[in-house]
Amino acid sequence: MTAPTGGFSEIAFSEPTREMHGFHSQVMQRRCFIGFSSISFFIVGAGIVMPAWVAFDVGGSNLVGLVLLASSLAGFALAPLSGHLVDRHNHLRVTASGQLVRALGLLMLAPVQVLPDALSRPILLLSTVLGAFGYAILAGAMSGILQWLIPETERMRFNLRLSFFNQAGMALGTGAAGYGIAHVGSATTAALFAFVAISVLPLLRNLTAYPTRTHAAKRLNLFSASREAINYLVNEPQTLSASVSVGLVFAVIQITNLLLPGFVSHSLGGGSRLFGTLEMTAAIAGMAALAAAGIPAVARRMARMTTPLVAAAGGSLLVLSFATDPLVAIVLYAAAGMLWNLSRAAANGHLLTVVDSALIGRVQAFTSLLTGAVGALIFLLPTLLPNTTEAQLYMACGVMILVATALLALWTRRGRPART
């Protein structure tokens, strides 16, 4: 009798082989996603330094303010469009398009300093608008890819790890941009960063298993899609709470970015050295906290602590307002940096866990709108309240964020659970 072909022995050896191949493929996809994301934030770091420096060189502080205003307004105005594009089209293609838009924006900075004012200023502003639009598209599209790539139960831990690499990428990007401008000039640096932005696009090829499904948003125009997203947020308390939490955490960061220089000078009696020390301490402590949060046991606890972390981040502003000694301020600011980074990563991770993947782009757009609106109000505080000290503003903002977090928690408890 001849031995049968196939049978048990073939199944016994082929199934584990397929499982092992699938495991290695999944690991490779995650690594490529982390690599693309961290290099993307490397470009974000460059996008913080380069437009501001070029603007200052061309038109001084007034033009820097105009560029920052243009970036904020562009992010606010184009958020609904970016969210609709993300939910309407394949996320991989949208991610690549967003990266190309950002590369074009950086490349446009190269000739600005040698052009006459009649051309340089409009090109600089257009570059800023493209950078804001590209970032908005990337934020939504990459969130959609992450939802597909990572199971719901693992998203919080993965996002905490991803936040560490993103933070490192952004820090390196700001440093590299400053170094490049000093040694090879802004034009060459802009071209180099644009090249880096494009050169990482092949990493997306490793995500070829991403489904090219037809999105429900294809049946809707921009206004109908936006209305659908608003109805979804109103009827899903956990999703609305998660989105607002992201906005609150960004508000904390915007507040301290605005008030810290004056606080250092007026309340702590320090100068640029103390200012730099505080920023460096907060950044190092924040990255250390994110590294520790990637531990599975810690990440599982973090998944249940998003609201307390957001409240603690707001409370850190209140505590910091009482600091008058530089050494005490350094310790408090380091602890605050840990809370800011953890709360931001946790809020983003929670958002990715509870949002329906078909609406992730539009929900991210709502978060951008909220962040932009709150940011505009925050940046006007010194103008609206000229006789108020930075310490008093820290205290008032901390109290408002604590109150907002408490109201958000009550809203979530009273509502019904979100769809998953």
Side-chain angles (χ1 to χ4, degrees):
M1 182 182 296
T2 58
T5 58
F8 175 80
S9 62
E10 182 179 340
I11 295 173
F13 288 101
S14 62
E15 288 298 330
T17 301
R18 280 195 289 268
E19 289 178 6
M20 186 63 69
H21 176 74
F23 173 76
H24 286 303
S25 175
Q26 187 181 65
V27 170
M28 178 59 70
Q29 288 179 337
R30 293 185 181 195
R31 288 176 178 174
C32 288
F33 182 84
I34 290 174
F36 182 86
S37 181
S38 59
I39 296 174
S40 179
F41 270 81
F42 179 79
I43 303 301
V44 169
I48 293 172
V49 173
M50 291 210 58
W53 179 263
V54 172
F56 183 79
D57 194 56
V58 170
S61 297
N62 289 338
L63 187 55
V64 174
L66 186 60
V67 164
L68 294 176
L69 178 63
S71 177
S72 179
L73 291 177
F76 185 84
L78 296 174
L81 176 60
S82 64
H84 181 54
L85 291 173
V86 168
D87 289 338
R88 185 182 178 89
H89 300 288
N90 177 266
H91 291 153
L92 281 179
R93 296 194 187 100
V94 175
T95 298
S97 300
Q99 189 77 338
L100 289 171
V101 169
R102 294 173 69 203
L104 177 60
L106 282 169
L107 193 59
M108 290 179 67
L109 290 174
V112 165
Q113 290 175 305
V114 299
L115 292 174
D117 284 351
L119 288 175
S120 64
R121 292 172 184 254
I123 289 177
L124 178 59
L125 293 175
L126 179 58
S127 168
T128 302
V129 170
L130 289 176
F133 186 47
Y135 179 79
I137 292 174
L138 273 172
M142 292 186 70
S143 293
I145 294 173
L146 190 152
Q147 285 186 317
W148 162 77
L149 189 62
I150 309 299
E152 182 180 320
T153 55
E154 299 178 30
R155 285 176 197 163
M156 179 63 75
R157 180 192 171 196
F158 183 85
N159 193 68
L160 290 168
R161 292 177 58 204
L162 182 66
S163 296
F164 172 82
F165 289 103
N166 288 345
Q167 220 26 37
M170 187 163 62
L172 289 172
T174 55
Y179 182 86
I181 291 171
H183 288 81
V184 299
S186 59
T188 303
T189 303
L192 287 173
F193 272 103
F195 173 77
V196 171
I198 295 172
S199 67
V200 296
L201 288 176
L203 287 174
L204 297 176
R205 293 176 183 171
N206 292 284
L207 304 177
T208 51
Y210 189 82
T212 56
R213 65 179 183 275
T214 301
H215 295 269
K218 283 191 174 182
R219 300 191 300 269
L220 305 173
N221 59 37
L222 174 61
F223 298 104
S224 298
S226 299
R227 185 169 61 249
E228 181 187 48
I230 292 171
N231 290 334
Y232 171 75
L233 287 167
V234 170
N235 292 317
E236 301 291 349
Q238 283 194 24
T239 303
L240 180 61
S241 176
S243 183
V244 174
S245 293
V246 173
L248 287 176
V249 173
F250 271 94
V252 171
I253 296 168
Q254 289 170 323
I255 289 164
T256 194
N257 287 341
L258 172 69
L259 299 178
L260 184 61
F263 182 73
V264 168
S265 177
H266 299 143
S267 296
L268 302 178
S272 59
R273 181 178 296 181
L274 178 58
F275 175 76
T277 300
L278 288 169
E279 290 284 25
M280 180 184 69
T281 303
I284 293 173
M287 290 188 66
L290 288 172
I295 299 171
V298 178
R300 283 193 292 270
R301 292 186 179 182
M302 292 275 293
R304 301 187 294 270
M305 293 178 60
T306 301
T307 300
L309 279 171
V310 175
S316 69
L317 299 178
L318 179 62
V319 174
L320 188 63
S321 70
F322 293 102
T324 55
D325 182 82
L327 290 178
V328 174
I330 289 172
V331 174
L332 291 176
Y333 209 72
M338 296 171 67
L339 289 170
W340 298 335
N341 280 276
L342 289 175
S343 60
R344 179 169 57 182
N348 279 315
H350 183 55
L351 183 71
L352 292 169
T353 302
V354 300
V355 174
D356 188 332
S357 60
L359 292 100
I360 183 63
R362 283 165 285 173
V363 172
Q364 287 276 19
F366 170 79
T367 302
S368 298
L369 285 170
L370 178 65
T371 303
V374 173
L377 178 61
I378 289 169
F379 294 146
L380 287 172
L381 284 177
T383 303
L384 297 174
L385 303 169
N387 298 321
T388 308
T389 66
E390 290 82 8
Q392 291 170 333
L393 289 174
Y394 265 135
M395 184 184 299
C397 291
V399 170
M400 285 190 292
I401 289 173
L402 284 171
V403 171
T405 305
L407 293 174
L408 209 58
L410 290 174
W411 164 264
T412 306
R413 288 196 190 110
R414 291 185 63 184
R416 56 189 177 86
R419 289 190 301 267
T420 56

